[in-house]
Amino acid sequence: MAAFAAAASLKTTILHILQSSRISYIPSSSSMLKEAYIEMSFLQLLLLELDRTKCYKIRTEVNAWDERIKEIVWGFEDILENHLVDQILPQLESSRGGLSSFIVDLQILDPNIAIFIMIVVFLKVGYFTEMENMPEEEGEPISSRIDFGGINSNMVGLSAEYEEVRDYLLAKKEDNCCCCYAISGMAGVGKTTFAKKIFDDPLIQEHFNLRAWVKVGRKCERSELFRCILAQVDPNTYNNRQAQEEGDEYEKLVKFFGETCMGKRCLIVFDDVWGTDLMHCFPNVQILMTSRLGMILYNKTYDLRLLDEEESRQLLAEKVFGEKSFPSHLEEFGEEIADKCEGLPLMIVTLAELLSKEEKTPKYWNEVAKKRHKVFKDAYNQIAEVFYPSYDYLPQYLKICFLYLGAFPPYSDMDKRSLFNQLSAEGFLEPVAKQTSENILDDLEGFMVQCTEELARQYNILLLGLNPSESLFLKNEFRVHSCWQHLCKKEASKVKFLHVLESWDDDMKDQRRLCAHYNTLFAFKEVYDSIQSDCASTTRSLLCYGKYHQYPMPIHAMDFKLLRVLGCLKVRFYDIPLEFLKLVCLKYLALAYNKELPASISNLFQLQFLIILPHQYIKKRGILSYLPAEIWDMPELQHIQVLERELPTPTSDATLDKLSSLLGVSANSCTREILKRIPNLKELTLIIVLNPYDDDVDSNSLIGLSYISEELHKLQQLTYSIRNPELKQRFLLPLSMFPSSLRRLVLRGLGCPWRDMNGIGSMLPNLEKLKLEEYAFRGPEWDMEQGSFLKLQSLVIEDTDLVRWRPQHGSLPNLEFLSIRHCYKLQQLDWFPTVVKTCTIELFQCIPSAFFSAKQLRPESLFNVIFWSSFCDENSRLASLLG
């Protein structure tokens, strides 16, 4: 399970060592290390072969070999990185002004590398042998596969979804046509209950002459599948035939099935399907299929949703009390308990069974609601047994992502950028396309997006909201259900991959990564001592994901040596500890820190992601804060995120060729001398903080930004924000600041006239997303010029004095989403689209006349108008939403 992650990590470690511009080697001392890299590549190919095996193969022994391989690879990686640190640190300490490069002798490791390769070869043989001889699960008897009598079809909610599926199955189909409706969704979401309710529906029973239910599971041979069906559609004839022809061949069973169903309407339910190889077209048969996997190859697919809050509360109350609501003295706690189940029926039912056996007092239910009682953990452990196969049969590369998800707190969305960057810094992401320096970052990002999409859509493990346009009326969630998160943490801790601290007496022996959802745990002496003695010397990640803690904690004094990822934005630092500046393996650093960064930050020569945000933002008038000049000696930097810290003017010819994101700086970081040194920048966020009532502000300060388009030819995302703007001020926008490569543009607080926006539109032929917020532009009318914004797909206008919006003929031919928010003066939208393309118009906190104007747009079929405003009473709002 973790061997693939270990091999990926070691490959990345070796690659960074061999390609580092700041490491010089004793001649010929790196050849053996290259052999180790090649061996890891072959090892990964072997491990990937497991993904080709059938899901009914028992992996117990293979997983044991995987564990052995992981331990060996981890052990060698520790030796390698310890050797690197032991050779570099003395050179750093003996140098006063810092070194531009370090001399490393790798020949000393040749015997270790040779032994390591020999052991890996031996382990590969054992792994391959075990994989080739994996035993199969025992198939279930036909009697249990077709026994659906004990399945409860009582269902709460989902009535509209139920009617949609039922009506589809009842609809008239062409003769000799096989139609399949696939119900997919997370394990425990109620797919079997849903299918059973359809199966038992009186209209379904009346419509179909023959019905059959088959529990497929991970192992079900094709012949067995037909025997299960035939045993239900014609049991008497089938039993007689079985007695005469024991062991019918597949072709005979198919023929018998065809004879039995000829001229009849037949419905077959395949429950708990794990693959597509058993599904075939049956003449004149309707198929309803359930699967925890995403099924996209069938006539119709429906992803069964989680229950909403009201449905969750009703289900819990029914299961515990037999009523649709809680007793009044338990109502508050019952609602809180139900909400913590996050809409998963299996979790609600399991928790209800446990609660039914306990006292029903406010004191007890309050303890459960606050998760101070073990009843939640007991329920999670029971559900983990149902969930585990979904994890065990994940592809190898997805298991890495899955285990890492356990680091994030439950009941909250994860920060997508942080997850991607940390996985990259850990060395778990590898480019999947061209192996060139120009494309490697794109490949990593694309690979991570692919992984999250697969976890969400194909394997139903990740909750991923479809909201590409950032609509206020759609969920943009990116999180793991708490049941999955429990399994993430449990499995990750078991294989020593990652441990989430939950108590002062946690066992942290040999854990590779540490995370806390309560940051104060790091301040306990017992925790401090355990980390120092049990895992600090090999820990690769330290993540503080609890609530913000305004006082420092002694995490720097735990003798970390090989740390790669340090995420401490939720912990305040008065000063950057000297121990942090010796972490030469560090690739990701995120701190809450107010003071100037020391010059010795360049000691972190492998750093790729630098995130420094202030504990409290206090700006000194007229004083600019700069990153140290030594930042230009950190060529591995890919991402810099700061607030009101500037890039200094380089004093040498150094460049940051790998830097793709620069967030939080101001126009002072956009001189030609600086921009020329970051030529591959793809994302730039500029923030100007104005001093209130400052008469010295230069309203023309944007003119110097014209170098952006001249130097940043690969820039795709640009954000420019003016904070504390005054309406009397207007900033002049030089059109030359916008490179034609831009695909996403966000502007805030500029106070420019709308005619400037037309000029911008003519400069950006590739623009797809545009956000104009906080009086970015002002004036009563925006007459959008003809033929502008030809590729724009999403437009957001928020907080402006706009009264009339009028795109001219031929503009916005590809617009799919328009959101106008907090525009209290908007009265009229005049738009005559020239291309037949449906567009959603979202009006939030606008006056009703704007809504009525939008409803008058023609042709009406092209516009889906959504409206919400506190200016209207509830009935008006509902009428508006319903159109």
Side-chain angles (χ1 to χ4, degrees), residues 669-672 674-676 678-681 684 686 702-718 720 733-742 745 759-760 762-765:
S669 294
C670 294
T671 65
R672 169 164 278 173
I674 291 176
L675 296 180
K676 289 177 70 173
I678 48 175
N680 296 312
L681 202 68
L684 175 62
L686 302 174
L702 291 183
I703 294 178
L705 296 175
S706 59
Y707 300 122
I708 291 178
S709 62
E710 295 180 24
E711 303 295 342
L712 302 181
H713 303 297
K714 298 181 180 180
L715 195 68
Q716 296 181 2
Q717 300 185 51
L718 174 63
Y720 196 99
L733 271 173
L735 298 183
S736 55
M737 73 176 283
F738 301 103
S740 61
S741 57
L742 279 184
L745 175 63
I760 294 174
S762 64
M763 299 286 294
L764 304 177

Side-chain angles (χ1 to χ4, degrees), residues 112-127:
N112 301 80
I113 299 174
I115 294 173
F116 167 70
I117 292 175
M118 288 175 58
I119 295 175
V120 169
V121 170
F122 167 76
L123 291 173
K124 282 166 55 180
V125 172
Y127 184 91

Side-chain angles (χ1 to χ4, degrees), residues 474-737:
L474 295 175
K475 286 185 178 181
N476 198 28
E477 62 186 358
F478 182 70
R479 63 188 179 89
V480 181
H481 192 282
S482 57
C483 292
W484 274 116
Q485 209 251 1
H486 175 80
L487 179 58
C488 281
K489 292 193 300 182
K490 183 178 180 180
E491 188 63 25
S493 182
K494 175 184 174 183
V495 299
K496 308 296 184 182
F497 180 83
L498 180 146
H499 181 76
V500 178
L501 283 166
E502 295 183 345
S503 173
W504 62 269
D505 60 348
D506 278 12
D507 179 11
M508 290 174 280
K509 184 68 175 175
D510 297 327
Q511 289 293 342
R512 206 75 171 175
R513 290 160 193 87
L514 296 177
C515 176
H517 297 164
Y518 301 95
N519 296 334
T520 50
L521 281 170
F522 286 120
F524 279 80
K525 185 179 185 302
E526 292 85 353
V527 174
Y528 174 91
D529 291 340
S530 293
I531 292 175
Q532 269 198 319
S533 61
D534 292 345
C535 62
S537 62
T538 57
T539 296
R540 295 311 200 275
S541 295
L542 183 65
L543 305 171
C544 300
Y545 282 154
K547 293 182 179 179
Y548 186 79
H549 192 70
Q550 62 178 331
Y551 301 110
M553 289 180 295
I555 59 177
H556 63 280
M558 296 181 192
D559 296 333
F560 296 113
K561 184 179 180 182
L562 305 180
L563 210 62
R564 293 179 184 173
V565 173
L566 180 58
C568 293
L569 281 177
K570 300 297 183 69
V571 178
R572 179 185 181 182
F573 286 89
Y574 294 129
D575 294 291
I576 292 184
L578 293 177
E579 292 85 351
F580 286 179
L581 301 175
K582 296 179 181 179
L583 298 173
V584 296
C585 294
L586 202 65
K587 294 182 175 67
Y588 180 100
L589 176 63
L591 294 179
Y593 183 66
N594 275 76
K595 297 181 181 180
E596 302 292 330
L597 291 180
S600 52
I601 191 74
S602 63
N603 291 348
L604 309 179
F605 67 94
Q606 297 193 71
L607 198 67
Q608 299 171 348
F609 304 92
L610 176 63
I611 304 164
I612 305 293
L613 301 181
H615 161 66
Q616 289 181 337
Y617 182 69
I618 303 174
K619 182 179 180 181
K620 296 181 180 180
R621 185 171 180 176
I623 298 178
L624 293 177
S625 177
Y626 283 89
L627 294 169
E630 288 74 13
I631 202 78
W632 295 100
D633 297 327
M634 304 173 69
E636 298 299 321
L637 280 173
Q638 300 174 19
H639 174 91
I640 297 177
Q641 183 176 356
V642 292
L643 182 59
E644 280 298 295
R645 297 176 191 264
E646 308 296 338
L647 274 180
T649 301
T651 57
S652 64
D653 58 355
T655 60
L656 298 179
D657 291 331
K658 295 183 180 179
L659 191 68
S660 62
S661 303
L662 178 60
L663 313 181
V665 298
S666 77
N668 295 290
S669 294
C670 294
T671 65
R672 169 164 278 173
E673 292 77 13
I674 291 176
L675 296 180
K676 289 177 70 173
R677 310 302 176 89
I678 48 175
N680 296 312
L681 202 68
K682 295 180 180 176
E683 181 179 5
L684 175 62
T685 296
L686 302 174
I687 300 175
I688 303 296
V689 181
L690 301 182
N691 298 317
Y693 313 109
D694 191 344
D695 296 329
D696 298 330
V697 175
D698 181 9
S699 62
N700 296 324
S701 62
L702 291 183
I703 294 178
L705 296 175
S706 59
Y707 300 122
I708 291 178
S709 62
E710 295 180 24
E711 303 295 342
L712 302 181
H713 303 297
K714 298 181 180 180
L715 195 68
Q716 296 181 2
Q717 300 185 51
L718 174 63
T719 298
Y720 196 99
S721 297
I722 305 292
R723 295 189 178 178
N724 305 326
E726 290 190 27
L727 293 181
K728 67 179 182 180
Q729 291 180 331
R730 181 170 70 88
F731 287 79
L732 299 179
L733 271 173
L735 298 183
S736 55
M737 73 176 283

Side-chain angles (χ1 to χ4, degrees), residues 29-242:
S29 68
S30 61
S31 57
M32 284 290 289
L33 201 56
K34 292 177 182 177
E35 291 185 31
Y37 178 90
I38 295 171
E39 189 60 42
M40 288 300 98
S41 299
F42 288 136
L43 174 61
Q44 283 185 301
L45 292 176
L46 173 61
L47 295 171
L48 286 172
E49 286 299 311
L50 183 65
D51 299 337
R52 303 177 187 273
T53 59
K54 301 295 184 181
C55 60
Y56 52 79
K57 297 282 189 175
I58 300 175
R59 296 187 172 188
T60 305
E61 290 302 319
V62 171
N63 290 341
W65 279 93
D66 186 283
E67 183 73 10
R68 297 184 191 109
I69 294 172
K70 176 207 72 177
E71 292 294 335
I72 292 298
V73 175
W74 277 359
F76 176 73
E77 190 173 38
D78 292 342
I79 293 173
L80 176 61
E81 290 193 292
N82 271 300
H83 178 75
L84 187 74
V85 173
D86 290 343
Q87 293 212 355
I88 289 177
L89 279 184
Q91 298 177 58
L92 277 175
E93 293 170 354
S94 64
S95 171
R96 295 181 179 180
L99 292 173
S100 59
S101 64
F102 309 97
I103 299 175
V104 175
D105 180 7
L106 294 175
Q107 282 183 319
I108 303 173
L109 293 180
D110 283 355
N112 301 80
I113 299 174
I115 294 173
F116 167 70
I117 292 175
M118 288 175 58
I119 295 175
V120 169
V121 170
F122 167 76
L123 291 173
K124 282 166 55 180
V125 172
Y127 184 91
F128 177 79
T129 302
E130 196 59 52
M131 183 172 58
E132 288 291 298
N133 296 285
M134 280 191 295
E136 298 181 2
E137 291 183 349
E138 293 185 5
E140 296 186 40
I142 290 179
S143 57
S144 64
R145 290 191 184 278
I146 65 177
D147 182 15
F148 53 83
I151 300 174
N152 190 347
S153 62
N154 294 330
M155 190 176 66
V156 171
L158 301 171
S159 57
E161 293 85 349
Y162 168 76
E163 291 177 4
E164 177 187 336
V165 177
R166 183 193 61 187
D167 293 346
Y168 177 84
L169 294 174
L170 293 174
K172 184 177 180 181
K173 307 293 191 304
E174 296 180 5
D175 293 339
N176 298 321
C177 173
C178 170
C179 292
C180 180
Y181 202 123
I183 305 295
S184 68
M186 184 188 301
V189 79
K191 302 181 294 296
T192 299
T193 299
F194 188 94
K196 182 60 162 49
K197 186 175 178 66
I198 294 285
F199 193 76
D200 289 342
D201 188 282
L203 292 177
I204 292 291
Q205 295 186 43
E206 180 181 345
H207 180 78
F208 290 99
N209 309 111
L210 304 173
R211 295 178 304 133
W213 179 286
V214 183
K215 178 186 175 183
V216 180
R218 290 196 297 277
K219 183 181 181 182
C220 188
E221 302 293 342
R222 292 186 302 175
S223 298
E224 187 178 6
L225 195 70
F226 274 96
R227 290 191 183 98
C228 290
I229 297 170
L230 292 170
Q232 297 172 79
V233 298
D234 193 355
N236 293 329
T237 305
Y238 175 69
N239 290 334
N240 292 334
R241 191 177 182 93
Q242 280 290 92

Side-chain angles (χ1 to χ4, degrees), residues 472-473 797-800 802-803 818-829 841-854 865-872 877 880:
L472 295 176
F473 295 93
I797 306 173
E798 182 171 353
D799 195 10
T800 184
L802 189 66
V803 177
L818 169 65
S819 179
I820 302 180
R821 310 165 182 175
H822 299 283
C823 295
Y824 303 110
K825 295 183 179 182
L826 182 69
Q827 296 182 8
Q828 191 170 357
L829 286 81
I841 299 178
E842 175 181 281
L843 299 170
F844 183 81
Q845 288 292 41
C846 298
I847 57 179
S849 59
F851 167 72
F852 293 122
S853 176
V865 182
I866 304 174
F867 177 73
W868 191 95
S869 174
S870 58
F871 297 116
C872 307
R877 273 202 300 267
S880 299

Side-chain angles (χ1 to χ4, degrees), residues 746-779:
V746 180
L747 299 173
R748 300 187 182 101
L750 297 171
C752 297
W754 285 108
R755 64 174 178 271
D756 288 2
M757 192 66 247
N758 290 330
I760 294 174
S762 64
M763 299 286 294
L764 304 177
N766 299 302
L767 194 66
E768 297 174 356
K769 293 187 177 183
L770 174 63
K771 296 183 74 171
L772 307 173
E773 302 174 332
E774 301 172 15
Y775 275 80
F777 295 86
R778 65 172 182 235

